[in-house]
C-alpha cells in the first residue's frame, strides 16, 4: 500500500497515532538498556546498576508490547502473529522475537538477582537478542525508499541513540523514584543521547505541509531533547534533578520517533496542510495525552513491582542456599 500511495502521489490518510511512535520508543529503549545491562553482567560490574537497567528494560518492553498490540486495532491480531511465527516480513519476525527477548531478559534478572554465575551466558544471549530487536525496529520502517528519512543510511544509528535517550531516561527516573543511586556514567550518556534527539529535530526539515500548519510543534519536540541534555548534565552535580532529567530524556527519545513517523508518512504535498494539522491535533488530543501518561504510570509501577519482587527473590535464594 505505501508504494502505491507514492506511485500515484495521493496524500495519505491521517494515520499518525501516538501508539506507533510510543511502541517504537519503548521497544528500542528496552533493547538499549538491556544491551547496557548485559555488558555489565558479562563484565561482572555494577550489580545494582545492571539490575536497575534490566528492570527498566523489562518494564519498557512489556509496555511497548502493549502499545504495539493496541496499535494493530485489535490486540488479538498480535496473538495470531505470535502463534504462527514466520520470516516472511520484519513484522512477523518481531512478533516472536520480542517475547523471546522479554523472557531471556527476565531470566537474566532472576539469575543475576543474587549473583548467580549462570546469569552471564544468559545475559550474553539477551545482548544478542537486544541487537536483534534494534535491527527489527529499524528495518520495520527502513525499507521504504520513497519516504523521507526512512531509507537514510544513518537511520539505525538514530534508533540506537533515541533508544539510549529513552532507556537511560527511564532507568534514571525509575532509580530516582526508588531512591537508588544512579551510576555516574548513566547521566552523561543520557544527556548525549538527548542532545542527538534535539539535533535531529533541528537539522531534519519537517514535511512541507507540516511546517506551514504546525511549525511550533516541531520545534517543541526538539526543545524537549535540549531540556533532557541540559538537565542530564546538571543532575550529575544536583542529584535532586535526576527524576526530571530522566523524564525529559524519555520525552526526547519519544519525540524523535514522533518526528520519524511524520517524516515517513509524508510525501511532498504543499497544499495538504489540513492533513498535517489534523495529525498534530490528534497527537496533542486528550486521548493521546492520556495514553502517554497512562503508559508511563504503568511502566513505572511495573518497574517498582519488578524491583521489589526480584529483591525478595534474591533474599529467598540466599536464605535457601545458606539453609
Amino acid at each position: 500500500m505505501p508504494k502505491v500511495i507514492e506511485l500515484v502521489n495521493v496524500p495519505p490518510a491521517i494515520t499518525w497515532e501516538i501508539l506507533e511512535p510510543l511502541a517504537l520508543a519503548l521497544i528500542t529503549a528496552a533493547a538499549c538498556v538491556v544491551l547496557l545491562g548485559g555488558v555489565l553482567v558479562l563484565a561482572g560490574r555494577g550489580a545494582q546498576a545492571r539490575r536497575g537497567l534490566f528492570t527498566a528494560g523489562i518494564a519498557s518492553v512489556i509496555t511497548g508490547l502493549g502499545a504495539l498490540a493496541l496499535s494493530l486495532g485489535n490486540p488479538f491480531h498480535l496473538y495470531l502473529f505470535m502463534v504462527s511465527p514466520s520470516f516472511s516480513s520484519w513484522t512477523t519476525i518481531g512478533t516472536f522475537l520480542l517475547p523471546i527477548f522479554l523472557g531471556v531478559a527476565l531470566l537474566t534478572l532472576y539469575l543475576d538477582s543474587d549473583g548467580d554465575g549462570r546469569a552471564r551466558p544468559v545475559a550474553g544471549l539477551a545482548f544478542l537478542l537486544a541487537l536483534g530487536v534494534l535491527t527489527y525496529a529499524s528495518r520495520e520502517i527502513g525499507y521504504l525508499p520513497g519516504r523521507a528519512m526512512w531509507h537514510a543510511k544513518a537511520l539505525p544509528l538514530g534508533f540506537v541513540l533515541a533508544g539510549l535517550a529513552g532507556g537511560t531516561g527511564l532507568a534514571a527516573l525509575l532509580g530516582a523514584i526508588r531512591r537508588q543511586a544512579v551510576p555516574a556514567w548513566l547521566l552523561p550518556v543520557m544527556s548525549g543521547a538527548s542532545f542527538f534527539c534535539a539535533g535531529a529535530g533541528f537539522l531534519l526539515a519537517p514535511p512541507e505541509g507540516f511546517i506551514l500548519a504546525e511549525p511550533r510543534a516541531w520545534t517543541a519536540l526538539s526543545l524537549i531533547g535540549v531540556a533532557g541534555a541540559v538537565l542530564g548534565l546538571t543532575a550529575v552535580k544536583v542529584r535532586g534533578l535526576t527524576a526530571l532529567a530522566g523524564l525529559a530524556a524519555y520525552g526526547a527519545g519519544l519525540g524523535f520517533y514522533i518526528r520519524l513517523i511524520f517524516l515517513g508518512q509524508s510525501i511532498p504535498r504543499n497544499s495538504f496542510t489540513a492533513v498535517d494539522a489534523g495529525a498534530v491535533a490528534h497527537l496533542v488530543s486528550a486521548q493521546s495525552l492520556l495514553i502517554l501518561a497512562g503508559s508511563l504510570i504503568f511502566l513505572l509501577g511495573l518497574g517498582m513491582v519488578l524491583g521489589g519482587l526480584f529483591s525478595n527473590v534474591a533474599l529467598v535464594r540466599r536464605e535457601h542456599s545458606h539453609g
Side-chain angles (χ1 to χ4, degrees):
M1 181 61 72
K3 293 183 178 179
V4 174
I5 291 175
E6 292 157 13
L7 187 62
V8 300
N9 200 29
V10 174
I14 302 175
T15 56
W16 299 295
E17 294 186 358
I18 197 62
L19 287 169
E20 296 175 10
L22 179 63
L24 278 172
L26 291 171
I27 288 169
T28 53
C32 285
V33 289
V34 169
L35 276 172
L36 293 174
V39 170
L40 292 178
V41 174
L42 292 171
R45 297 183 178 179
Q48 182 174 307
R50 69 198 189 213
R51 292 163 199 161
L53 290 170
F54 268 96
T55 300
I58 291 166
S60 186
V61 74
I62 290 175
T63 310
L65 277 169
L68 183 62
L70 292 174
S71 71
L72 294 174
N74 182 352
F76 186 67
H77 292 162
L78 186 62
Y79 169 76
L80 292 178
F81 274 125
M82 289 180 180
V83 297
S84 56
S86 73
F87 291 87
S88 59
S89 71
W90 285 102
T91 299
T92 57
I93 290 172
T95 52
F96 64 86
L97 176 62
L98 289 171
I100 294 173
F101 167 66
L102 171 61
V104 173
L106 277 166
L107 181 59
T108 305
L109 182 58
Y110 171 77
L111 294 174
D112 192 47
S113 59
D114 66 345
D116 192 320
R118 294 174 295 176
R120 289 192 177 185
V122 180
L125 179 57
F127 182 97
L128 294 175
L129 288 170
L131 289 176
V133 169
L134 286 172
T135 303
Y136 147 74
S138 62
R139 294 302 300 167
E140 176 69 18
I141 66 170
Y143 67 93
L144 296 176
R147 300 294 177 94
M149 188 177 173
W150 282 23
H151 64 285
K153 293 181 179 179
L155 183 59
L157 178 60
F159 272 70
V160 172
L161 292 172
L164 271 178
T168 53
L170 289 171
L173 178 57
L174 189 57
I177 292 175
R178 298 188 65 197
R179 298 182 179 180
Q180 294 180 337
V182 176
W185 56 267
L186 183 69
L187 293 174
V189 169
M190 182 183 75
S191 181
S194 298
F195 182 76
F196 162 81
C197 293
F202 287 122
L203 294 177
L204 293 171
E208 295 158 336
F210 181 87
I211 192 68
L212 297 174
E214 298 290 343
R216 290 174 296 179
W218 191 271
T219 304
L221 290 172
S222 297
L223 292 178
I224 295 173
V226 173
V230 173
L231 287 170
L233 291 177
T234 306
V236 173
K237 297 293 184 180
V238 186
R239 289 304 175 116
L241 294 175
T242 299
L244 186 60
L247 182 61
Y250 166 67
L254 178 59
F256 172 87
Y257 286 103
I258 290 175
R259 289 192 296 266
L260 179 66
I261 295 297
F262 268 118
L263 284 168
Q265 296 279 19
S266 174
I267 56 178
R269 45 181 172 80
N270 282 319
S271 61
F272 293 99
T273 56
V275 176
D276 296 307
V280 177
H282 175 78
L283 287 171
V284 297
S285 66
Q287 178 186 0
S288 294
L289 295 177
L290 184 61
I291 290 172
L292 288 176
S295 64
L296 183 60
I297 292 171
F298 175 80
L299 187 153
L300 294 176
L302 183 59
M304 294 288 287
V305 171
L306 287 173
L309 174 64
F310 283 100
S311 294
N312 291 333
V313 166
L315 180 62
V316 170
R317 292 181 70 193
R318 279 195 292 268
E319 290 178 348
H320 179 74
S321 62
H322 290 310

